[in-house]
Amino acid sequence: MAVFFRGSQNLLQKLKNHVSFANVSSRAMASKTPVGFIGLGNMGSHMAKNLLKHGYPVFASDIFPESCKEIQDLGAQVLDSPAEVADRADRIITMLPSSPNVIEVYTGLKGILKKVKKGSLLIDSSTIDPSVSKEMAKEAEKMGAVFMDAPVSGGVGAASSGKLTFMVGGVEEEFTAVQELLTCMGTNVVYCGEVGTGQAAKICNNMLLAISMIGTAETMNLGIRLGLDPKLLSKILNMSSGRCWSSDTYNPVPGVMEGVPSANNYQGGFGTTLMAKDLGLAQDTATNTKTAIPLGSVSHQIYRVMCARGYAQKDFSSVFQFLREEENQ
């Protein structure tokens, strides 16, 4: 009987501790101020979900209402416009496809800056022209708000698992506040310098990514033509000096890896259109700074041709399929 009594006491104490922990967690979540999130595409939807997982109330908006349903079901409050988001939250993250989209979302008739509160922190994770980031920062400053550029790297998989890399540009004194939010969505948050330097780092990264993906696709295709098994060739590359992210994490050849776009008819992931856009940004900045980028320029042309040949909506690793089809023409 004494053993039973002591066991019951231990069980009751464990239940008390569990309830106490739950109450603390609830209080911690309740104390977190709301975050606005605009742009719920392949990347943004996962990023917003991770904010919810970390206990932040989220006010969300997207130009396509159907993109909002999943995040709404998970507890986010969906609003009709960026201006409404700015009216409800003083920390806002945007994740948009291009420079014109960013300009519209921030300065349009229903844009963030129409109702932004003084002291608001605006974080743009889109990949855009650095000059646009600088212009948005000036416009935000006029309204008493702070704009920071914080583009990401890692793809949809990293966005889903919360392992993105953020490259941040802006006022250094605000970096700690930015870091607090971004660490909910990524494992690496790097301060790059003034506004626009985050974009500069991202453009450089994506140019290298495009070059290495084309190189990987060409290499795998040549090896297959020479009679090598693609899985064996991939294994050799990944234990040799040719190893890169495109070969060991995001292989473009169907059947070599699971869980990547090449295993799903190149659906999902990072679209060819977006890669062509980013390479266009690299080309523009290279021209403006009189920088030679011969491989970057060729990569840009390849992805532009792919867009015109029906690959626009496929993942950028579909360059492997594109090269194979070019041979057969």
Side-chain angles (χ1 to χ4, degrees), residues 35-215:
V35 178
F37 203 104
I38 300 166
L40 299 169
N42 287 342
M43 297 288 289
S45 58
H46 291 297
M47 293 164 68
K49 285 178 198 173
N50 282 322
L51 286 171
L52 286 171
K53 287 178 185 176
H54 281 80
Y56 285 95
V58 171
F59 292 109
S61 183
D62 192 278
I63 193 170
F64 299 109
E66 61 272 20
S67 299
C68 301
K69 188 177 185 312
E70 185 179 7
I71 197 77
Q72 187 173 33
D73 291 343
L74 292 172
Q77 186 170 341
V78 175
L79 302 174
D80 291 333
S81 70
E84 289 186 41
V85 173
D87 192 44
R88 302 289 293 275
D90 57 15
R91 292 187 293 175
I92 301 171
I93 298 168
T94 51
M95 186 62 169
L96 304 162
S98 66
S99 296
N101 298 118
V102 170
I103 293 169
E104 177 63 25
V105 163
Y106 278 89
T107 66
L109 291 175
K110 295 184 179 180
I112 291 169
L113 297 182
K114 293 298 179 184
K115 289 197 174 182
V116 71
K117 303 170 186 175
K118 284 187 178 180
S120 290
L121 179 60
L122 312 175
I123 304 168
D124 181 41
S125 288
S126 318
T127 300
I128 60 173
D129 191 315
S131 66
V132 174
S133 293
K134 292 174 183 177
E135 185 59 34
M136 293 303 99
K138 289 178 183 176
E139 294 300 316
E141 188 177 9
K142 292 176 186 176
M143 307 303 295
V146 175
F147 177 97
M148 308 276 280
D149 59 304
V152 305
S153 180
V156 173
S160 177
S161 62
K163 295 181 179 179
L164 290 168
T165 291
F166 288 87
M167 293 150 270
V168 182
V171 182
E172 188 170 7
E173 290 75 16
E174 298 290 342
F175 179 64
T176 300
V178 171
Q179 195 173 30
E180 178 193 336
L181 285 179
L182 300 189
T183 49
C184 297
M185 302 174 282
T187 51
N188 301 300
V189 182
V190 183
Y191 180 69
C192 299
E194 63 183 20
V195 171
T197 55
Q199 297 295 348
K202 175 60 187 293
I203 289 169
C204 291
N205 177 79
N206 274 23
M207 183 175 73
L208 179 58
L209 175 60
I211 293 168
S212 68
M213 180 56 77
I214 293 169

